[in-house]
């Protein structure tokens, strides 16, 4: 492999292995797995339940450490970063979207989005502006004063997306972002993720077995039993407005 | 910056209410217990603290005002000779037996100088009441003790078989080991069936010309063998000695300390559990923030801030309720003593418990592993 010839990937897994010890039994979850994620695309990891998708996502995003192999994110070897440095890295470069939205019940949509920006050291005023922009982008500008209890599931997930993209991360991770949502809201969220990858050049890595997501992804990695089986590159598809499954 | 801690606390107050109540009640219990204990033990020295005498002269080695033995009558002139001494008064202490139509009790008779400018019980006895003691065979008791003694004002009873009349009641005279009965020196001598005071009174008390040099005068007056055995204490020292005697030597103090430790431990355990439960309710959200790169250290501050607010809210409630309860106790003549330092100490301890609980709850943040959100 010559470094000059290979395109630079923002996210790479190199011969990664991971196992969990439960009691005396060690289960191998990821086995010698390698993966390159292209920049500015919506990449999907699909596969049966329990095959290790979420574990892979956690490893690629620096939430979990590898046992063997290496993870390179934005050219950094994550194994070399301390816990504090990893937090710092995530704060500056990564966004997350979870199946359960992880919003604070007490905060309004605007405050949810502002919160990580404050920790990033942004001033009050610029955090406000940035948060409003993000909410605008996910179509939640008019609902920015509402708390989670006053929002629908789809709206909550859009606030979570706004929170994740407000700091303009280079990497965006999403674990089953649509599985708690109905068809229409799910489509909206996928559409958003796709658009974020396009317009911001964000590298979006998504885990899902939602067929709607599969049809929207630029690239799909099929996973089984802790290994990547195959990958299908897809030509960029035009964004379908109001698409429903 | 948006205070996540405070906003969450206000919006989800129901979730934090148990913790607020736990901290509040822990503080309240501690505070009331101390107030009552101090109240009870301060009544051991009511003879001293209720009087204006600056020096107490009694039998050497007397550990507490209630275990005094008679001193020599001639001591009086020796004390009065000192240029700094303005006034000397005898004080008689008698354990006696009370009988009335409706009850009997063991009482403590205090024989005092009933003249208007008398030192003994000057803080407790209004002047006109004190003056009435000049009538022979009259006594004054605390109004809260009337039912125990089975008498009303104006009625007759017997002490050690001698008839006495209740001429009035006052407040702040309740005793620790019995019922205080105040009489004139003359009446008290008359009631002294055992005759232990025939050689002299149980104590002499003295007032000095200058108030500040009590310790120096006490040292100077002390212990010339020619006047029989005696010792001189300042009022402050003797009161402290008496209270400590009850606290330490009677076993009551050990029990109280034991109880205080239990109350503290129980309060700490309950508060920390309640606080940890309240904090734990946000664990998933904290984990999400941590995934987004907000450090555990920053999240710790959020939790600690929450603990402090919970503590403050609890203390506010405890202060309000405690104040009301103490006023109620006072109005019912229950002896309670609380000074600002003890209150601050209690509040500090409660706040400390809240912070320590918060720190324990912070430990639970370790479980807020964001990887667990990816399942
Ligand atoms: N912390 C852990 N301790 C023990 N075992 C674990 C742990 N995390 C994951 N596993 C195991 O690893 C395997 C893969 O888990 P993972 O969550 O990655 O699956 P998944 O592909 O995301 O499944 P799903 O589609 O149902 O979310 C599972 O068998 C799971 O039991
Ligand atoms: Mg999963």
């Amino acid at each position: 492999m010559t470094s000059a010839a290979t395109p630079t990937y923002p996210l790479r897994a190199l011969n990664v292995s991971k196992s969990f010890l439960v009691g005396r039994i060690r289960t191998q979850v990821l086995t010698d797995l390698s993966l390159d994620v292209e920049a500015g695309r919506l990449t999907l990891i699909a596969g049966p339940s329990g095959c290790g998708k979420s574990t892979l996502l956690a490893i690629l995003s620096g939430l979990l450490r590898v046992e063997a192999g290496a993870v390179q994110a934005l050219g950094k070897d994550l194994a070399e970063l301390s816990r504090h440095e990893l937090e710092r890295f995530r704060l500056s470069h990564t966004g997350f979207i979870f199946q359960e939205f992880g919003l604070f019940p007490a905060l309004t949509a605007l405050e949810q989005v502002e919160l990580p920006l404050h920790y990033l050291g942004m001033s009050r005023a610029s955090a406000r502006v940035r948060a409003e922009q993000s909410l605008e982008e996910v179509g939640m500008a008019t609902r920015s004063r509402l708390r989670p209890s006053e929002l629908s599931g789809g709206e909550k997930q859009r606030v979570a997306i706004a929170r994740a993209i407000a700091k303009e991360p280079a990497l965006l991770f999403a674990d089953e972002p649509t599985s708690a949502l109905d068809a229409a809201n799910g489509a909206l969220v996928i559409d958003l993720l796709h658009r974020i990858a396009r317009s911001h050049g964000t590298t979006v890595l998504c885990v899902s077995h939602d067929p709607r997501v599969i049809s929207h992804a630029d690239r799909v990695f099929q996973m089984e039993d802790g290994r990547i089986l195959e990958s299908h590159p897809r030509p960029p598809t035009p964004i379908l407005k109001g698409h429903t499954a | 910056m948006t205070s996540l801690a405070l906003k969450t606390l206000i919006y989800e107050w129901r979730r934090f209410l148990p913790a607020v109540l736990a901290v509040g009640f822990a503080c309240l219990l501690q505070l009331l217990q101390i107030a009552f204990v101090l109240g009870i033990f301060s009544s051991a020295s009511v003879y001293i603290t209720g009087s204006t005498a600056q020096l107490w002269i009694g039998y050497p080695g007397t550990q507490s005002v209630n275990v005094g033995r008679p001193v020599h009558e001639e001591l009086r002139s020796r004390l009065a000779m000192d240029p700094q001494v303005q006034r000397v008064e005898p004080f008689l202490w008698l354990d006696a037996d009370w009988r009335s139509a409706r009850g009997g009790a063991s009482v403590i008779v205090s024989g005092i100088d009933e003249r208007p400018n008398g030192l003994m019980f000057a803080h407790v006895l209004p002047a006109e009441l004190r003056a009435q003691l000049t009538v022979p065979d009259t006594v004054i008791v605390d109004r809260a003790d009337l039912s125990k003694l089975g008498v009303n004002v104006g009625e007759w009873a017997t002490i050690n078989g001698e008839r006495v009349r209740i001429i009035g009641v006052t407040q702040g005279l309740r005793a620790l080991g019995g019922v205080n009965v105040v009489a004139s020196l003359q009446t008290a001598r008359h009631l002294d069936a055992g005759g232990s005071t025939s050689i002299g009174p149980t104590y002499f008390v003295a007032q000095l010309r200058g108030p500040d040099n009590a310790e120096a005068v006490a040292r100077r007056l002390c212990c010339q063998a020619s006047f029989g055995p005696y010792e001189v204490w300042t009022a402050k020292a003797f009161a402290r000695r008496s209270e400590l005697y009850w606290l330490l030597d009677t076993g009551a103090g050990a029990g109280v300390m034991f109880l205080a430790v239990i109350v503290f431990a129980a309060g700490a355990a309950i508060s920390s559990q309640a606080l940890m439960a309240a904090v734990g309710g946000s664990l998933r959200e904290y984990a999400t923030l941590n995934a987004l790169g907000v450090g555990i250290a920053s999240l710790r501050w959020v939790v600690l801030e929450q603990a402090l607010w919970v503590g403050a809210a609890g203390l506010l409630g405890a202060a309000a309720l405690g104040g009301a309860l103490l006023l109620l106790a006072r109005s019912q003549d229950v002896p309670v003593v609380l000074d600002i330092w003890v209150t601050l100490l209690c509040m500090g301890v409660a706040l400390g418990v809240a912070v320590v609980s918060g720190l324990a709850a912070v430990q639970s943040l370790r479980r807020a592993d964001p990887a667990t959100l990816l399942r």
Side-chain angles (χ1 to χ4, degrees), chain A residues 20 22 27 29 47-55 176 209, chain B residues 374-375:
Chain A
F20 288 107
V22 179
T27 16
V29 180
S49 179
C51 71
K53 305 184 295 292
S54 297
T55 307
E176 312 274 7
H209 40 238
Chain B
L374 296 167
R375 284 285 163 77

Side-chain angles (χ1 to χ4, degrees), chain B residues 201-223:
Chain B
T202 326
Y203 299 96
F204 282 108
V205 299
Q207 190 175 39
L208 304 179
R209 285 182 214 285
D212 0 283
N213 52 3
E215 268 163 50
V217 181
R219 239 175 285 126
R220 185 170 68 218
L221 284 176
C222 194
C223 317

Side-chain angles (χ1 to χ4, degrees), chain B residues 281-313:
Chain B
S282 303
L283 226 49
R284 286 194 82 84
E285 287 82 15
Y286 289 140
T288 311
L289 272 192
N290 185 238
L292 285 168
V294 177
I296 289 284
S298 310
L299 295 176
R300 273 188 193 141
W301 280 114
V302 175
V303 172
L304 269 188
E305 191 190 334
Q306 247 162 18
L308 275 176
W309 284 118
V310 163

Side-chain angles (χ1 to χ4, degrees), chain B residues 234-252:
Chain B
T234 64
K236 212 171 162 183
F238 197 44
R240 167 169 291 259
R241 204 180 163 103
S242 298
E243 285 167 21
L244 284 181
Y245 171 81
W246 279 96
L247 206 60
L248 302 179
D249 291 0
T250 61

Side-chain angles (χ1 to χ4, degrees), chain A residues 45-162:
Chain A
I45 300 171
S49 179
C51 71
K53 305 184 295 292
S54 297
T55 307
L56 178 59
L57 195 73
I59 282 179
L60 287 172
S61 59
L63 295 179
L64 266 187
R65 301 266 188 189
V66 292
E67 260 165 29
V71 175
Q72 285 177 3
L74 304 178
K76 278 206 171 81
D77 187 349
L78 293 188
E80 282 170 7
L81 302 184
S82 69
R83 183 188 176 123
H84 185 69
E85 287 167 335
L86 267 179
E87 281 173 352
R88 200 64 223 171
F89 180 83
R90 293 204 300 267
L91 188 59
S92 336
H93 302 300
T94 69
F96 278 91
I97 300 154
F98 300 105
Q99 181 179 338
E100 290 167 42
F101 322 113
L103 300 176
F104 286 92
L107 302 187
T108 65
L110 191 61
E111 289 164 344
Q112 312 269 6
V113 181
E114 283 175 339
L115 193 59
L117 300 180
H118 290 311
Y119 283 104
L120 206 53
M122 212 176 263
S123 76
R124 240 168 199 289
S126 46
R128 169 71 34 118
V129 170
R130 186 75 78 75
E132 275 164 354
Q133 279 170 359
S134 292
L135 284 169
E136 176 85 54
E137 195 169 345
V138 299
M140 289 291 294
T142 54
R143 327 222 67 191
S144 65
R145 306 280 158 180
L146 300 184
R147 295 205 169 83
S149 60
E150 297 146 348
L151 297 172
S152 74
E155 289 170 334
K156 278 188 253 195
Q157 193 59 299
R158 280 191 276 159
V159 173
I161 294 174

Side-chain angles (χ1 to χ4, degrees), chain B residues 149-222:
Chain B
L149 296 172
V151 285
N152 287 317
V153 178
E155 293 182 348
W156 290 83
T158 59
I159 296 178
N160 287 350
E162 306 286 343
R163 276 168 64 79
V164 293
R165 199 163 85 91
I166 321 299
I167 204 158
V169 288
T170 184
Q171 254 179 288
L173 205 60
R174 301 192 81 176
L176 192 52
V179 177
N180 273 327
V181 174
V182 180
S184 67
L185 283 166
Q186 191 200 351
T187 307
R189 285 202 186 91
H190 181 60
L191 296 175
D192 183 15
S196 69
T197 55
S198 54
I199 58 159
T202 326
Y203 299 96
F204 282 108
V205 299
Q207 190 175 39
L208 304 179
R209 285 182 214 285
D212 0 283
N213 52 3
E215 268 163 50
V217 181
R219 239 175 285 126
R220 185 170 68 218
L221 284 176
C222 194

